[in-house]
Amino acid sequence: MANYEGQVTSGSSDVRKGNMIFEAILDDGVFRFDCSVDNREAAYPSISFVNSKDRETPITSTHKDPLYNPTFECLLEQQVVQLELPIGTSLYGTGEVSGQLERTGKRVFTWNTDAWGYDPGTSSLYESHPWVLAVLPNGDTLGILADITRRCEIDLTKESTIRFIAPSSYPVITFGPFASPTEVLISLSKAIGAVFMPAKWSLGYQQCRWSYLSAQRVQEVAKAFREKDIPCDVIWMDIDYMDGFRCFTFDKEHFRDPRSLAEGLHSSGFKCIWMLDPGIKQEKGYFAYDSGSENDVWVQKEDETPFVGDVWPGPCVFPDYTQSKVRAWWANLVKDFASNGVDGIWNDMNEPAVFKSVTKTMPESNIHRGDGELGGCQNHSFYHNVYGLLMARSTCEGMKLANENKRPFVLTRAGFIGSQSISMVLQLGLSGQPLSSPDIGGFAGNATPRLFGRWMGVGSLFPFCRGHSEYGSTDHEPWSFGEECEEVCRLALKRRYRLIPLIYTLFYFAHTRGTPVATPTFFADPKDPSLRKLENSFLLGPILVYASTTCSQGLDKLKITLPKGIWLGFDFGDAHPDLPGLYLKGGSIIPVGLPLQHVGEANPSDDLILLVALDESGKAEGFLFEDDGDGYEFTKGTYLLTHYVAELQSSIVTVSVHKTEGSWKRPKRRLHIRVLLGGGATLDTWGVDGEVLHINWPSEEEASKLVSTSEKQYNERLEKAIQIPDLEDEISGPKAMELSRTPIELKSSEWLLKVVPWIGGRIISMRHFPSGTQWLHGRVEISGYEEYSGTEHRSAGCSEEYSIINRELEHDGEEESVNATNIIQINSSIIARSIGPGSGGFSRLVCLRIHPTFHLLHPSESLVSFTSIDGSTHEVFPDGGEQIFEGRLIPNGEWRLVDKYLGLALVNRFNVTEVLKCIVHYDFGTVNLELWSESRPVSEQSPIRISHQYEVIRSR
């Protein structure tokens, strides 16, 4: 254990700060840091660690001290931990986050949030991972975990500096530095656990939407996949299969016989996954509610009565998964539910999400009567971030009870570290959660054909592969966007299925060793700083996947940055401008299968293909893991792990089995060896798997001809391929609204605004650089910064014509100019320019309404404050709903949106002579600060104007 040298206490009795004390735990290079011995002894049990005792047990086998020691400061019940690293350090991790891959400059809050419609500035999403991976300038890598379940701020705004800010007190755990990021993730997996070995079928493509509204529609979709020869293994049932959104029930009309539906899907090679939410409808006579009430399983309010919150069924109660008896109760419900032919379960809405709540969740004062090993009886703020994790664990136990011979499949929307866009998938992998992917095509809104096809091309190579879309969107099945997109999706998914032997092997190593499945490109060479911010490529094991992230740029026009060493391009005769490029690292052998319609179609005796890429020394190696594809016999040794090697000697490449593990018998099958030469050219030979095979190496001239011919054929395929048309959705409404929806950026030293030139310029993002805060974010259709002019805006006497001139946004109905300096100045007006006959030069009555929708980072710590013209002071909190201020009660030219947690305020100043009334309206995690003008006719000479501005200041 470290001594206390360097620990100091400030002159104020309310502030403690200094160096943290440490002790070695778990394994070499892993250290636990605490503010003091008292803090160490008072720390709550770890929910992050798979075995909480590992965090509490010092080891004496190491004599090394940590190379980097964090400092702490405790003030007002908040503990700030800071770790300063060498300049040039790159920061990653932080779990499920939006935005760039390299996290320097970002601030993340670990608070599981129903974040529908999030954007790159959203600071809290559905899962929480208080973890940062730091790649030092020399390529060595360090990981640091703040082992706390409460809301935690991860502040990476200062270069090469990591800060955790959370309620006192909590330990931090450091891993390394080690020689590579992979070593750090292996070390992390020993603490939080490795991913469970997935059933092989779960690695196939999975089709979902909110919702397939009947069993008949599900059958139609499944049939179409088979008829169109598009691979698929799973169909998902969203919430509408239920009877009135009651969990563990089925709609009596549209899903009256779920077992027969499941049997029909199984006969066609499909598995079926069904959604379960935590919210149980408060309704006597409903078996789940009655049973839960009898067993006293509900989360309670402070007065010890069950908390009731609205979700899909209406008023709901929520199981308290922090209690073992509740987890057992839930598991038995799942067990009975699974008897209907359920192959897997999707836990949704388990942040937990609650409707009609400005915080989007239950009150932090709610009570959980947790088990002692989890932390005991605590309020919701303690258990909020692990609620989804504990629900998923109990669901998993229920699936095991239903069939102990099958590996349970449980997908959870909310999670915590240890719960197992390209950047987000990679960040989750860097945070110890390799089985993840985005909703292919995007959940919110409608994809265009090219967007969907390109997304499928990349998404088909992620560890997990599922298409999903929201209620009311257009159909998002692979054939829904035209023949060109359908063909690209078919090619992409057949490519995935050929690579499933590799992906399954990668998951075996993730399960047994803790290695990641998909990683950023810089994992190929952590010492190369030029690779650390690449976001249009990633590694799937030894395969480099390269994709275009620009709509107009196909694979044929893509500039490729390859890591050092040998990287050989290859495909399966499926090259297409809308598909990613593939490169195999020199020194690698990968197993490849046949293009199947579903995983269950595979036969162990099918031909096996090995792709071989020799390194500079003429050697290569690779692995293939095989077992029954499900169940637990592999844990008893019933599997086959083959280590293949290749070597070039005396112009002959020899491929052989170096060694094997496991008792699973090698299938009798043909083996096709393809040695890559570059440019897609290969040397091929056939033989029997398990035998030694030889291939003659060509002369330099022969190899050059093979490569040249292959490159020519490759380019011809790209030229002949029919690209997906670049079609944008038409914007509904008057012709005047048919404008570009592509945002333009207005940037200053402190602000970045994104503005869409639609209806006079719509601000959809307001990001403040110094504080790292995103005050406003939305989409073109909803949220963001809007302006209205009332129902008379489109009436006779006023027409709408729009133009964009030098980034000043104006149209003939309203005009708006934005001055993006340290203060955002917005000058808005309504003016009549195109005057109708008989109007006298004036419009009818119009009213200018400024309507920004601001995002509440910390709803329970937010308020709107101001002083009225009459001198009275006002504070409007989220539970105040909507309040209207008129006359002398309107703010005296200024009001503030205050975030007490951050100590920041967004100040909105305006000209009081131009504003008739002000409205504060709180909603689901947002607040509107509305400015309304008077209502009157306008002409070209007498517009209605409101000039106002925004500035961020410190509020404490």
Side-chain angles (χ1 to χ4, degrees):
M1 186 178 76
N3 58 32
Y4 291 92
E5 284 186 337
Q7 184 165 344
V8 298
T9 303
S10 73
S12 169
S13 60
D14 295 331
V15 180
R16 289 190 302 123
K17 60 183 178 180
N19 296 324
M20 304 186 83
I21 63 171
F22 65 85
E23 59 186 10
I25 63 170
L26 194 67
D27 204 355
D28 285 349
V30 181
F31 297 92
R32 169 179 173 166
F33 290 86
D34 293 90
C35 298
S36 68
V37 173
D38 289 342
N39 288 133
R40 176 181 294 146
E41 293 176 349
Y44 288 107
S46 175
I47 299 179
S48 307
F49 276 55
V50 68
N51 182 355
S52 182
K53 292 182 180 179
D54 286 342
R55 197 193 68 178
E56 314 304 327
T57 307
I59 60 172
T60 57
S61 60
T62 180
H63 301 286
K64 298 179 181 178
D65 285 348
L67 293 180
Y68 299 97
N69 291 21
T71 60
F72 77 94
E73 179 177 348
C74 294
L75 173 65
L76 300 176
E77 300 183 347
Q78 293 286 305
Q79 175 180 317
V80 180
V81 174
Q82 181 163 307
L83 182 64
E84 295 186 3
L85 299 168
I87 296 298
T89 296
S90 303
L91 304 177
Y92 305 90
T94 68
E96 186 187 38
V97 290
S98 57
Q100 75 240 22
L101 175 65
E102 206 280 322
R103 305 303 294 168
T104 297
K106 291 292 185 179
R107 178 184 278 117
V108 174
F109 296 90
T110 62
W111 188 252
N112 291 358
T113 302
D114 181 2
W116 179 91
Y118 65 85
D119 75 352
T122 305
S123 58
S124 297
L125 296 183
Y126 303 93
E127 299 190 12
S128 293
H129 297 75
W131 159 263
V132 178
L133 186 77
V135 182
L136 306 178
N138 65 354
D140 289 352
T141 307
L142 172 80
I144 181 168
L145 169 69
D147 200 7
I148 183 170
T149 60
R150 296 181 186 271
R151 180 190 280 110
C152 177
E153 177 181 346
I154 308 173
D155 183 356
L156 307 179
T157 55
K158 183 179 178 182
E159 183 182 2
S160 304
T161 301
I162 301 167
R163 296 177 80 231
F164 295 110
I165 306 166
S168 302
S169 62
Y170 58 91
V172 295
I173 318 297
T174 62
F175 301 80
F178 299 125
S180 71
T182 297
E183 290 183 50
V184 174
L185 295 178
I186 291 172
S187 181
L188 174 66
S189 74
K190 294 176 181 178
I192 67 172
V195 65
F196 193 79
M197 187 66 189
K200 201 169 187 179
W201 61 260
S202 69
L203 302 181
Y205 177 65
Q206 310 194 21
Q207 182 64 47
C208 180
R209 78 164 286 120
W210 175 30
S211 279
Y212 293 124
L213 296 176
S214 68
Q216 179 182 350
R217 178 58 181 152
V218 172
Q219 292 163 344
E220 291 171 353
V221 171
K223 183 180 179 182
F225 271 104
R226 296 295 179 253
E227 290 178 345
K228 294 177 179 293
D229 190 28
I230 299 175
C232 184
D233 266 86
V234 184
I235 305 290
W236 291 55
M237 265 53 75
D238 208 314
I239 196 169
D240 292 283
Y241 78 83
M242 301 177 188
D243 180 13
F245 304 130
R246 297 171 184 85
C247 287
F248 306 107
T249 69
F250 298 91
D251 184 278
K252 295 179 178 62
E253 180 179 355
H254 299 106
F255 288 90
R256 63 169 62 95
D257 192 351
R259 187 177 286 106
S260 292
L261 172 61
E263 290 173 355
L265 290 173
H266 291 164
S267 67
S268 300
F270 288 96
K271 305 292 185 182
C272 45
I273 294 176
W274 306 73
M275 175 188 283
L276 286 177
D277 291 348
I280 300 297
K281 185 169 185 176
Q282 186 188 38
E283 179 182 66
K284 289 184 178 180
Y286 166 36
F287 71 92
Y289 174 74
D290 291 343
S291 171
S293 298
E294 290 171 8
N295 288 278
D296 188 24
V297 304
W298 311 125
V299 175
Q300 294 183 342
K301 298 185 295 184
E302 288 180 287
D303 63 6
E304 299 184 357
T305 62
F307 166 74
V308 179
D310 275 15
V311 204
W312 295 111
C316 287
V317 288
F318 297 80
D320 184 1
Y321 300 107
T322 67
Q323 302 178 63
S324 57
K325 74 165 189 177
V326 178
R327 295 193 296 275
W329 167 82
W330 181 267
N332 277 290
L333 287 176
V334 170
K335 173 189 172 184
D336 295 341
F337 180 69
S339 66
N340 293 284
V342 173
D343 298 299
I345 288 179
W346 171 16
N347 287 157
D348 198 44
M349 302 291 288
N350 56 344
E351 292 73 34
V354 177
F355 296 163
K356 301 179 182 178
S357 167
V358 71
T359 64
K360 300 187 178 183
T361 191
M362 61 178 62
E364 294 182 35
S365 59
N366 278 0
I367 301 300
H368 295 267
R369 294 163 285 167
D371 299 334
E373 62 266 27
L374 296 180
C377 186
Q378 299 282 349
N379 64 25
H380 183 66
S381 65
F382 183 90
Y383 285 118
H384 174 84
N385 283 335
V386 296
Y387 187 86
L389 164 66
L390 296 173
M391 179 190 184
R393 284 182 180 175
S394 52
T395 302
C396 187
E397 288 304 312
M399 292 298 289
K400 288 180 181 178
L401 290 173
N403 191 334
E404 62 182 10
N405 297 317
K406 297 293 184 182
R407 300 173 201 166
F409 181 93
V410 177
L411 181 137
T412 178
R413 187 170 84 173
F416 189 66
I417 192 164
S419 61
Q420 312 325 20
S421 77
I422 293 177
S423 296
M424 185 182 293
V425 173
L426 301 181
Q427 299 290 13
L428 283 167
L430 299 185
S431 304
Q433 187 172 315
L435 186 61
S436 66
S437 84
D439 295 328
I440 291 175
F443 176 71
N446 295 319
T448 62
R450 180 170 290 183
L451 174 64
F452 188 88
R454 292 273 186 90
W455 204 324
M456 182 66 79
V458 176
S460 66
L461 297 171
F462 285 151
F464 179 63
C465 182
R466 182 185 80 152
H468 186 38
S469 55
E470 68 179 335
Y471 188 85
S473 63
T474 59
D475 288 346
H476 276 61
E477 291 76 34
W479 54 85
S480 303
F481 298 91
E483 293 180 1
E484 298 88 355
C485 183
E486 178 182 329
E487 176 61 12
V488 167
C489 292
R490 183 180 295 106
L491 292 172
L493 290 174
K494 287 192 173 185
R495 174 184 282 187
R496 177 182 182 83
Y497 277 65
R498 300 197 72 151
L499 291 172
I500 279 181
L502 168 66
I503 298 171
Y504 194 56
T505 302
L506 292 174
F507 268 105
Y508 173 73
F509 288 131
H511 170 63
T512 56
R513 303 180 184 178
T515 53
V517 175
T519 61
T521 303
F522 73 80
F523 268 55
D525 185 5
K527 293 181 172 60
D528 185 352
S530 69
L531 302 177
R532 295 189 183 181
K533 295 185 179 182
L534 287 180
E535 297 190 13
N536 61 349
S537 62
F538 65 94
L539 293 167
L540 180 65
I543 297 176
L544 180 67
V545 180
Y546 227 106
S548 172
T549 55
T550 303
C551 183
S552 60
Q553 184 183 51
L555 178 64
D556 52 333
K557 300 177 182 177
L558 193 60
K559 290 184 178 180
I560 298 171
T561 302
L562 295 175
K564 294 177 182 176
I566 294 175
W567 294 88
L568 300 176
F570 72 96
D571 58 45
F572 303 105
D574 56 3
H576 192 284
D578 291 318
L579 289 178
L582 305 178
Y583 295 82
L584 185 59
K585 182 179 180 180
S588 303
I589 299 175
I590 61 169
V592 174
L594 300 177
L596 307 171
Q597 285 197 335
H598 59 93
V599 169
E601 196 178 27
N603 190 304
S605 62
D606 289 341
D607 294 346
L608 174 66
I609 303 168
L610 294 181
L611 295 187
V612 180
L614 301 176
D615 63 14
E616 294 89 341
S617 63
K619 295 180 180 180
E621 65 174 350
F623 295 86
L624 171 62
F625 174 79
E626 299 172 276
D627 69 349
D628 288 331
D630 206 343
Y632 300 94
E633 290 301 311
F634 78 98
T635 65
K636 304 172 185 177
T638 308
Y639 67 91
L640 178 63
L641 179 65
T642 304
H643 182 188
Y644 293 98
V645 294
E647 185 172 9
L648 173 62
Q649 285 187 331
S650 303
S651 298
I652 295 176
V653 178
T654 302
V655 181
S656 62
V657 173
H658 177 61
K659 63 179 179 179
T660 62
E661 290 181 14
S663 61
W664 207 64
K665 188 176 180 181
R666 182 177 304 279
K668 294 181 179 179
R669 60 191 172 200
R670 294 195 306 168
L671 182 64
H672 181 190
I673 303 295
R674 303 185 67 197
V675 180
L676 303 182
L677 296 176
T682 62
L683 300 175
D684 293 68
T685 193
W686 287 82
V688 177
D689 185 26
E691 297 181 354
V692 178
L693 278 72
H694 303 285
I695 307 175
N696 292 324
W697 191 256
S699 67
E700 186 173 337
E701 181 180 356
E702 291 171 332
S704 178
K705 289 181 179 179
L706 288 171
V707 170
S708 177
T709 300
S710 178
E711 288 178 339
K712 181 180 179 181
Q713 293 171 346
Y714 173 81
N715 290 328
E716 288 175 352
R717 287 200 302 272
L718 288 182
E719 291 174 3
K720 292 179 181 179
I722 302 176
Q723 285 191 259
I724 304 172
D726 186 15
L727 302 176
E728 297 291 337
D729 288 341
E730 290 187 2
I731 303 173
S732 60
K735 182 179 180 180
M737 298 182 187
E738 295 175 4
L739 299 169
S740 169
R741 294 187 174 195
T742 303
I744 59 173
E745 292 187 353
L746 302 177
K747 188 174 183 180
S748 72
S749 60
E750 291 197 5
W751 286 99
L752 173 64
L753 273 63
K754 291 185 179 180
V755 185
V756 175
W758 183 55
I759 310 188
R762 176 172 190 143
I763 303 172
I764 60 172
S765 175
M766 288 171 56
R767 180 167 181 79
H768 187 249
F769 290 124
S771 63
T773 49
Q774 178 90 359
W775 290 93
L776 178 147
H777 69 84
R779 296 191 298 165
V780 175
E781 301 90 346
I782 60 169
S783 300
Y785 172 95
E786 303 173 276
E787 295 180 358
Y788 299 100
S789 58
T791 57
E792 297 298 326
H793 181 50
R794 296 185 179 89
S795 63
C798 181
S799 66
E800 303 174 61
E801 296 174 3
Y802 302 76
S803 61
I804 306 169
I805 304 172
N806 295 329
R807 287 193 173 181
E808 286 198 0
L809 308 169
E810 71 173 54
H811 65 76
D812 290 346
E814 305 170 19
E815 64 179 19
E816 169 190 26
S817 64
V818 180
N819 177 20
T821 60
N822 296 344
I823 295 175
I824 300 174
Q825 176 73 37
I826 302 177
N827 301 313
S828 303
S829 64
I830 300 179
I831 186 170
R833 287 182 177 165
S834 301
I835 309 301
S839 66
F842 286 88
S843 70
R844 296 184 181 179
L845 289 176
V846 292
C847 169
L848 177 58
R849 174 185 170 192
I850 309 298
H851 181 271
T853 302
F854 294 112
H855 175 56
L856 299 178
L857 297 174
H858 305 96
S860 61
E861 298 289 322
S862 299
L863 72 149
V864 175
S865 67
F866 62 90
T867 300
S868 293
I869 292 176
D870 68 0
S872 59
T873 59
H874 302 265
E875 290 187 338
V876 185
F877 292 89
D879 58 6
E882 179 174 284
Q883 296 191 31
I884 301 174
F885 301 92
E886 299 182 88
R888 293 184 60 77
L889 288 179
I890 70 170
N892 191 17
E894 175 181 305
W895 52 358
R896 300 181 178 189
L897 172 56
V898 180
D899 187 319
K900 293 190 293 183
Y901 184 87
L902 292 178
L904 297 174
L906 179 67
V907 182
N908 179 204
R909 302 184 184 94
F910 56 90
N911 186 338
V912 294
T913 64
E914 298 173 339
V915 175
L916 186 69
K917 66 180 176 181
C918 298
I919 300 177
V920 179
H921 176 80
Y922 284 99
D923 204 343
F924 198 42
T926 62
V927 64
N928 301 121
L929 298 183
E930 300 188 23
L931 305 174
W932 288 51
S933 74
E934 63 178 329
S935 296
R936 64 172 173 83
V938 296
S939 68
E940 189 171 4
Q941 291 76 32
S942 60
I944 291 178
R945 291 192 175 94
I946 295 181
S947 299
H948 61 118
Q949 59 184 220
Y950 297 99
E951 181 183 12
V952 175
I953 64 170
R954 287 284 173 189
S955 63
R956 65 184 179 196

